[in-house]
Amino acid sequence: MSSCDLCVVRNRAICASLDAKELEALNAIGRTRKITPGESLIWEGEDSVLVANVIEGVLKLSTNTEDGREQIVGVVYPSDFIGRPFGGTSGHGVTALTEAKVCVFSRRDFDAFAREHPALEHKLLERTLGELDRTRRWMLLLGRKSAAEKMASFLLEMTERLGGNGCKLSFENPLQRQLTLPFSRQQIADVLGLTIETVSRQFTRLKNEGIIDLPSRRDVIILDMEALAAEAG
Amino acid sequence: MSSCDLCVVRNRAICASLDAKELEALNAIGRTRKITPGESLIWEGEDSVLVANVIEGVLKLSTNTEDGREQIVGVVYPSDFIGRPFGGTSGHGVTALTEAKVCVFSRRDFDAFAREHPALEHKLLERTLGELDRTRRWMLLLGRKSAAEKMASFLLEMTERLGGNGCKLSFENPLQRQLTLPFSRQQIADVLGLTIETVSRQFTRLKNEGIIDLPSRRDVIILDMEALAAEAG
DNA sequence: CGGTCAGTTGAATAAAATCAAGACTTGTGG
DNA sequence: CCACAAGTCTTGATTTTATTCAACTGACCG
C-alpha cells in the first residue's frame, strides 16, 4: 500500500486519473515535503527542475520587475498542480503563504511518467485549461477595474476559493461569511496591482459602509454579500 | 490525400502530432472558414461549441465588464489553437483583427478525437502551458507597469510575434525594424489596460525622442531597439 | 516596558483618465 | 477628380484616481 492511499487530495489532484498500481509507481518517484510561510519551492527564471501537487496550505505564484515591483500571478490551493512540466524555465516563483505540504517530483521523472500515462496528461490538460481561464479573467480586473472594484472582486474570489480547502469559513448565516485570509495587506496589493495604502483605505471604507467587518488583521466578515457583488463591476 | 497536406501550419499546429491517416480522420471532422476583420468566431459567456486552429491572420481574445470596458486577454497567430475543449463556457470572445482563415471543429467531435489521440493532447498541453506562461507574464505588465513601460513592452512583444507569421517585418537593418500592427489605437489600449489618448501620447513621445518612427497609422519603425528595451522595465 | 513589525491615516504629488477640440485618413458620391 | 462625411487619431486642458511620502497607531514578543 502506497502512502498515496492516505493522501487527502488523492481524489481531487491529477492523481485521480491513476489506478492503484500506477499510483504506486508515481509514489515511487515523488516525496512529500513541508514548507513554512515565506519559504520558496521554485524561483523565477531558474530552469524547471521540479513539479509538485499541493496537499495542504496556500502558495503564491509571483513575478517581479527588475526594480523589485511584485505581481502575484496565481494562488494555489490543495489539489492544485505547480511547476512547469516539459522543459523551459519557470516564469514565476512559488512561495508558501501558509504552512504547506506538497508532493514533489523531479521534473524529468514526472515528464517521463506523464508521457506514459495519457489519462494523467488529460487531467493535467483540463487543470491547465481551467487555470488559463481563471488567469485571463484576472487580466480584466488588472487592466480595467478601479481599486474599489478590485477589492470587491478579490473578497468574492476568496469567499469561493477558501471553501472546503481546509481554510476556515463559516456558513451559519448564508449572507454573513467569515474568512481568514492567507494574505498580508502587501500581498493583497500584489495580487490586485495596487499599493498597500490603497488596499488599507479600501478595507476601512468597506468597513465604514457596513459591507464588511474586520475582527482582526487577517479575518474578514462579509456582512452584505449583495453590496459586495454590486461593487465588483 | 487530405487537404491538410497543403496546410501552411501543418507542421506547427497541434496537428503536427498526427500521422497521415490520423490527419485524414481529423480533416473529416473539421472545415476551413474565412473570417473578416471585426467578425467574431466565439462569444464570451456562451457555452463552448467549437474549437479551431488558426491558419492565417491575427485574432484577439477579449472580455468585457458589464458596463462595456474591454480587456484583450490574448492575441492568436497562425498555428495557434483557439476555443475551450472539454466542456465549460468560453470566458472570452474571439474576434478577427485581420482577414483570417481558421480550421474549425465542433467541440464535441474534437474532444472525442483528442481523447483517442494522446499525442494530440500532449501537443495541446504543451501549447496551453506555454500560453499560460505568456499570460502570467502579461499580468505583471497590467498590474505593475507604467504607461511608458507598457508601450515599450508591447512594441517589443510585437517585434517578436510578428516575425515569420506572414506579417510584414523587415530585417535589412537588425536594429531598425518595421512592423505593421494588426491593432487600432483603441485595441492597443485594450491590450495594455490604458485609454486611447494615453496610447496616442506615448506614440508621439517615442517618436519625438527618436526611438520610433510612424510612417502611417498602422506602421511602426523601431529606430532604437536598445532604448525601447531599456524603457520596458 | 520598549522595540519591532504590520497596518492605518493624512497631506501632497504624480499619473493617467476624462472631457473637449481639432487634424488627418479614408472612403463615397457628385 | 474633388468635396465632403465618417471614422480614427492627436493634442490640450482639467479632473480624478491612486501613489508617494510621512507620521502615527496598535499588536505582538522578548
Side-chain angles (χ1 to χ4, degrees):
Chain A
M1 174 171 139
S2 82
S3 64
C4 294
D5 294 318
L6 302 168
C7 180
V8 292
V9 299
R10 162 77 176 90
N11 296 307
R12 290 186 293 142
I14 55 171
C15 322
S17 63
L18 303 175
D19 65 29
K21 195 180 159 190
E22 292 169 323
L23 201 60
E24 198 165 348
L26 183 63
N27 186 48
I29 61 169
R31 63 187 191 81
T32 62
R33 188 179 148 185
K34 291 199 169 176
I35 315 174
T36 56
E39 193 180 347
S40 290
L41 184 65
I42 294 171
W43 285 262
E44 180 180 357
E46 82 176 1
D47 47 306
S48 175
V49 291
L50 56 86
V51 299
N53 273 310
V54 180
I55 299 171
E56 268 176 37
V58 183
L59 300 91
K60 68 169 183 176
L61 316 182
S62 59
T63 39
N64 292 82
T65 55
E66 290 154 28
D67 62 338
R69 286 167 286 174
E70 176 160 326
Q71 177 65 47
I72 293 180
V73 298
V75 182
V76 291
Y77 299 88
S79 86
D80 284 343
F81 181 85
I82 49 189
R84 178 59 162 95
F86 312 121
T89 54
S90 168
H92 48 264
V94 179
T95 309
L97 295 175
T98 65
E99 291 290 338
K101 204 160 86 180
V102 295
C103 178
V104 294
F105 305 90
S106 117
R107 186 189 60 78
R108 288 169 61 92
D109 292 349
F110 179 85
D111 283 4
F113 186 90
R115 301 212 64 149
E116 285 168 13
H117 296 84
L120 183 87
E121 281 209 338
H122 180 79
K123 274 274 179 208
L124 189 56
L125 176 56
E126 290 210 347
R127 208 166 254 288
T128 308
L129 286 165
E131 194 57 34
L132 185 55
D133 282 349
R134 181 189 301 283
T135 304
R136 283 178 169 153
R137 227 175 310 124
W138 210 251
M139 292 177 83
L140 178 65
L141 175 141
L142 289 175
R144 289 296 183 209
K145 291 193 180 180
S146 67
E149 291 171 326
K150 284 179 175 180
M151 275 299 294
S153 303
F154 171 77
L155 290 172
L156 290 173
E157 166 103 355
M158 283 299 107
T159 308
E160 279 175 35
R161 290 286 220 118
L162 296 180
N165 280 321
C167 302
K168 288 160 214 154
L169 185 59
S170 82
F171 287 92
E172 292 111 43
N173 180 337
L175 293 171
Q176 183 175 323
R177 299 189 177 174
Q178 167 149 11
L179 33 154
T180 300
L181 301 174
F183 301 102
S184 68
R185 293 288 185 268
Q186 182 60 60
Q187 286 162 347
I188 295 171
D190 291 339
V191 170
L192 299 177
L194 296 170
T195 58
I196 184 172
E197 295 94 331
T198 301
V199 169
S200 182
R201 281 186 246 272
Q202 291 297 326
F203 266 122
T204 52
R205 183 186 58 80
L206 287 168
K207 186 179 173 180
N208 291 340
E209 292 177 359
I211 296 173
I212 62 170
D213 195 20
L214 299 167
S216 78
R217 289 184 169 183
R218 296 272 183 144
D219 291 309
V220 182
I221 296 171
I222 296 173
L223 300 171
D224 188 346
M225 194 66 84
E226 302 272 308
L228 204 59
E231 272 210 4
Chain B
M1 169 174 146
S2 83
S3 63
C4 295
D5 294 318
L6 301 169
C7 180
V8 291
V9 298
R10 164 76 177 92
N11 295 310
R12 290 185 293 142
I14 55 171
C15 322
S17 62
L18 304 174
D19 64 29
K21 195 180 160 191
E22 292 169 322
L23 201 61
E24 198 165 347
L26 183 64
N27 186 48
I29 62 168
R31 63 187 190 81
T32 62
R33 187 178 148 185
K34 291 199 170 177
I35 315 175
T36 56
E39 193 181 347
S40 291
L41 185 65
I42 294 171
W43 285 264
E44 179 180 359
E46 80 176 4
D47 47 305
S48 174
V49 292
L50 56 84
V51 299
N53 273 310
V54 181
I55 299 170
E56 268 177 37
V58 184
L59 300 90
K60 66 170 182 175
L61 316 181
S62 59
T63 41
N64 292 84
T65 55
E66 292 155 25
D67 63 336
R69 285 168 286 174
E70 176 160 328
Q71 177 65 46
I72 293 179
V73 298
V75 181
V76 291
Y77 299 87
S79 85
D80 285 343
F81 181 85
I82 50 188
R84 178 61 162 91
F86 313 120
T89 55
S90 168
H92 49 260
V94 179
T95 309
L97 295 175
T98 64
E99 291 291 336
K101 203 160 86 180
V102 295
C103 178
V104 294
F105 305 91
S106 118
R107 186 189 59 78
R108 289 170 61 91
D109 292 349
F110 180 85
D111 284 4
F113 186 91
R115 301 212 63 150
E116 285 168 14
H117 295 84
L120 183 86
E121 281 209 339
H122 180 79
K123 274 275 178 207
L124 189 55
L125 176 57
E126 291 211 346
R127 208 166 254 286
T128 307
L129 286 165
E131 195 56 34
L132 185 55
D133 282 349
R134 182 189 299 282
T135 303
R136 284 177 168 153
R137 227 176 309 127
W138 210 249
M139 290 176 85
L140 178 65
L141 175 140
L142 289 176
R144 291 296 183 207
K145 291 193 180 178
S146 67
E149 290 172 325
K150 285 178 175 181
M151 275 299 296
S153 304
F154 170 78
L155 290 173
L156 290 174
E157 166 102 355
M158 282 300 106
T159 307
E160 279 176 33
R161 291 283 224 120
L162 295 180
N165 279 320
C167 302
K168 288 159 213 154
L169 184 58
S170 82
F171 287 90
E172 293 112 44
N173 180 338
L175 293 170
Q176 182 176 323
R177 298 187 180 177
Q178 166 148 11
L179 34 155
T180 300
L181 302 173
F183 300 101
S184 69
R185 293 289 186 267
Q186 182 59 61
Q187 287 161 347
I188 296 171
D190 292 339
V191 169
L192 299 177
L194 296 171
T195 58
I196 185 173
E197 294 95 331
T198 301
V199 170
S200 183
R201 280 186 247 273
Q202 291 297 326
F203 266 121
T204 52
R205 182 186 58 81
L206 287 168
K207 186 179 173 181
N208 290 339
E209 291 176 359
I211 296 173
I212 62 170
D213 195 19
L214 299 167
S216 78
R217 289 185 169 182
R218 298 270 181 146
D219 291 309
V220 181
I221 296 171
I222 297 173
L223 300 171
D224 189 346
M225 194 66 83
E226 302 271 310
L228 204 58
E231 274 211 2

